[in-house]
Amino acid sequence: MKKTSTRLADGRELIYYDLRDDTVRDAPDRRPLEPTRTSSEVRRDDLLGDSVAIASHRQGRTYHPPADQCPLCPSRGDRLSEIPDSSYDVAVFENRFPSLAGDSGRCEVVCFTSDHDASFAALTEEQARLVLDAWTDRTSELSHLPCVEQVFCFENRGAEIGVTLGHPHGQIYAYPFTTPRTALMLRSLAAHKEATGGQNLFDDVLARERAGERLVLEGEHWAAFVPYAAHWPYEVHLYPKRRVPDLLALDEAARAEFPRVYLELLRRFDRIFGAGEPPTPYIAAWHQAPFGTLPDFEGVTRDDFALHLELFTIRRTSGKLKFLAGSESGMDVFINDVPPERAAERLREVASS
């Protein structure tokens, strides 16, 4: 992998990740952009104890542009975009309309491929590995920013999810706090460790699921399963078999196998609802340990946390979506219409030949 860092016309950072070591990236950003101005701030909810990012400038972000005006495609001729070069393998840049900025963190966009009509599932294993390497590098770089406590790499796919740009891409949020979902995991981890005399909750969950009926697929270094209490109609958790706290700690064997396993999962997701259905909308979310010490979770260190990816769709059946209504949105109590065991069975049924 070759990494080239440069700047866009408004001062934002752009990083190219290339498969070839001899690739040259020196195309300038020819757009007449003013310096980016953001108004992002993080406010704490005193009742719930969580945080909300207030980012009014995002109201003006690009919204469903036609394909020939996509800001994530390469720049060609007079058609100028966020990527000044005429091609790229993987490109990462600071979001022009970030939810978090300055002392409140940082947001980046990850373009998986220059092909506007592709998807992550359509990448080759070599391309998917390059994305993994880019996620890992950005996690490392962002973790060293003074304000950053947790790094979250994710992909939103599909208009049903709320995606406003059709080009295959994901995002990275670098938060100045430990996210509420991670905090819940850490509290459960601490309680389990105390109750069992030192056992690790992630290890116990993975062992249980590998031995049960909700296992979807398994490689030498990775295992994917539908969790016992899945929140979403089709939800899969992908774990490295050797527990590590973050992407940085994956060994080469796990990195090498990841593309094959993950691409297979994504391709199965697109076959869940049968031939002729539009691509399955999904969210793919990497869960990594916060950086630094964990003083709020007694007896737990970041090495106790288990890196894993959660992949889920809001489509519950053909032509029907799972909406978060009263119980889910009002009280955080999910109601799942698809039994996890049946979801796992269906994901095994659609295995590719």
Side-chain angles (χ1 to χ4, degrees):
M1 178 188 78
K2 181 181 180 182
K3 175 184 175 182
T4 305
S5 181
T6 184
R7 292 282 172 180
L8 296 171
D10 56 8
R12 289 174 294 131
E13 186 176 16
L14 165 68
I15 309 105
Y16 294 100
Y17 294 90
D18 286 293
L19 293 168
R20 291 174 56 96
D21 290 336
D22 59 353
T23 303
V24 176
R25 299 294 184 189
D26 56 7
D29 185 359
R30 295 180 284 134
R31 298 172 297 170
L33 297 180
E34 295 292 329
T36 302
R37 293 181 175 85
T38 62
S39 57
S40 175
E41 64 171 306
V42 173
R43 298 183 181 180
R44 184 169 177 80
D45 186 316
D46 292 334
L47 289 179
L48 298 180
D50 59 8
S51 298
V52 177
I54 309 296
S56 59
H57 62 275
R58 284 175 53 80
Q59 287 280 31
R61 66 188 183 273
T62 308
Y63 188 80
H64 292 299
D68 62 357
Q69 297 178 30
C70 174
L72 307 186
C73 288
S75 294
R76 289 172 182 155
D78 294 331
R79 184 184 174 285
L80 306 179
S81 74
E82 293 279 61
I83 317 295
D85 218 321
S86 59
S87 66
Y88 63 86
D89 292 335
V90 172
V92 179
F93 60 86
E94 289 184 75
N95 198 322
R96 192 177 179 187
F97 304 96
S99 302
L100 306 165
D103 293 338
S104 297
R106 174 158 156 154
C107 294
E108 297 182 341
V109 177
V110 184
C111 301
F112 302 140
T113 171
S114 60
D115 184 352
H116 181 86
D117 298 316
S119 66
F120 201 118
L123 299 181
T124 66
E125 290 187 16
E126 184 181 38
Q127 289 174 308
R129 170 60 190 266
L130 184 61
V131 176
L132 174 62
D133 290 341
W135 282 331
T136 304
D137 181 73
R138 297 315 302 152
T139 296
S140 175
E141 293 290 330
L142 293 170
S143 71
H144 289 97
L145 296 179
C147 65
V148 172
E149 190 168 313
Q150 187 172 7
V151 178
F152 175 46
C153 306
F154 64 100
E155 179 191 3
N156 298 327
R157 192 267 192 112
E160 300 94 328
I161 297 294
V163 175
T164 58
L165 297 176
H167 195 104
H169 73 287
Q171 299 181 65
I172 302 176
Y173 277 21
Y175 296 103
F177 50 80
T178 296
T179 60
R181 189 173 179 86
T182 302
L184 287 174
M185 293 182 196
L186 290 169
R187 291 190 188 99
S188 297
L189 184 62
H192 185 80
K193 191 172 185 179
E194 181 179 5
T196 60
Q199 289 179 219
N200 184 280
L201 176 59
F202 288 109
D203 292 349
D204 289 350
V205 167
L206 181 58
R208 180 190 71 196
E209 297 295 358
R210 286 181 61 197
E213 62 182 318
R214 290 177 296 276
L215 186 69
V216 173
L217 64 85
E218 186 171 20
E220 184 178 355
H221 303 284
W222 295 85
F225 58 87
V226 176
Y228 171 73
H231 288 56
W232 300 95
Y234 291 90
E235 175 181 341
V236 176
H237 293 190
L238 176 63
Y239 277 70
K241 291 183 179 179
R242 182 179 71 87
R243 173 166 43 90
V244 294
D246 52 40
L247 290 166
L248 303 173
L250 285 173
D251 60 24
E252 177 54 33
R255 292 181 185 281
E257 186 182 67
F258 171 78
R260 179 181 64 80
V261 174
Y262 186 48
L263 290 172
E264 171 63 18
L265 273 181
L266 292 180
R267 290 162 186 167
R268 291 191 193 190
F269 255 57
D270 274 344
R271 292 192 292 269
I272 291 173
F273 302 104
E277 286 291 317
T280 301
Y282 65 74
I283 293 174
W286 279 110
H287 291 266
Q288 305 191 78
F291 289 92
T293 58
L294 303 172
D296 296 332
F297 308 98
E298 186 175 352
V300 170
T301 69
R302 70 184 312 272
D303 287 334
D304 292 319
F305 194 87
L307 167 77
H308 62 285
L309 183 142
E310 297 184 7
L311 173 68
F312 60 91
T313 180
I314 62 171
R315 186 179 291 165
R316 55 188 175 88
T317 189
S318 180
K320 296 179 181 178
L321 301 180
K322 164 66 177 178
F323 292 102
L324 300 189
S327 186
E328 293 90 350
S329 295
M331 296 302 287
D332 280 349
V333 178
F334 275 67
I335 301 169
N336 190 352
D337 300 323
V338 180
E341 293 73 22
R342 174 55 190 148
E345 180 182 20
R346 178 59 182 159
L347 286 162
R348 290 191 298 267
E349 288 174 351
V350 297
S352 60
S353 58

